[in-house]
Amino acid sequence: MSLRNAMTVDVEDWFQVQAFAGVIPPQAWEGKERRVVASTGHVLDLFAEAGVRATFFTLGWVAERHPALIRRILAEGHELASHGYGHAPVFRLGPEGFRQDIRRAKQVLEDAGGVAVLGYRAPTFSISPQATPWAHRILAEEGHRYSSSVFPGRHAARGDGAAALLPWQADGVLEVPMTVLRSPLRDLPVSGGGWFRMTPYGAFRAGLRRVNAMGRRGVFYFHPWEVDPDQPRVAEAPALARLRHYTGLRRMAPRLRALLRDFAWGRMDEVFAPELGATAPRRMAA
Ligand SMILES: [Zn+2]
């Protein structure tokens, strides 16, 4: 149990999730009630209470509007990383649109934080070696050192059954895939998201312990809106999207407290420092 896992947060507001994109398009974002500063503040308080430092993959759109939040994340010892600018899936952006999106996000984040941004996570883990074979090369060319954007395994529609489970060097960046436990029937995601809220905590903990017992470091992720049970309800969203988004929000904070206590955690750039050392920087950030 002494292995350290990476704790990560995808910083976006409640109305920016892909599941609601059909009913709340990006043009409508500006008019929505902004809750990301308060909910991310709650996350920061939980980490401070547990003495945990994490990586915050933050949307450029959020950083542009809330630079004080970026400064608080950094002041409390966390790593600032990129979640892209506009939260569009990578396969939909195409190579040139992807380049523009990650360049803009990195610039906004570095301007707000005054630090180099090395890491990137694709919206809804929309990078796969099959669908977006150009993505890692473009990330490297735009000055990123690592990505945590691939969901391997046969567990969901977006799972990439062919992707590796362990970090690999991918066209100039280190790809650290989300944590999946392989089993003969199906692969078990033990990396957070809706799965963490819907699975009994003990079962989730057992899964992550098995990962660590095999000598593998896990990557856990969640969103600030998951600790905000009072967020507005999007009644027009599809039923399945609403089920995934709203189930278990009230038990999220106590579960996170337990998870932070039951495992050792760190930032992506610390936990994967050995592999990152082998990745040469393509271009130094300004
Ligand atoms: Zn996201």
Side-chain angles (χ1 to χ4, degrees), residues 19 35 64 112 117-118 133 156 166 170 174 218 224 229 243 251 279 283 286:
R35 299 177 72 88
E64 208 166 55
V117 164
L118 307 180
L166 298 175
L174 176 75
L243 179 77
R251 56 176 177 257
T279 308
R283 202 188 69 186

Side-chain angles (χ1 to χ4, degrees), residues 10 12 16 83 87 122-124 223:
D10 293 358
E12 62 199 35
Q16 296 175 310
H83 194 33
H87 212 261
T124 62
H223 308 85

Side-chain angles (χ1 to χ4, degrees), residues 10 17 36 41 62 95 100 116 118 138 145 199 221 228 245 259 267 271 275:
D10 293 358
V17 297
V36 71
V62 169
Q100 297 311 320
L118 307 180
I138 295 173
R145 297 278 306 281
T199 315
Y221 83 102
D228 180 17
H245 191 93
L259 187 73
R267 304 161 34 144
V271 172
E275 292 92 335

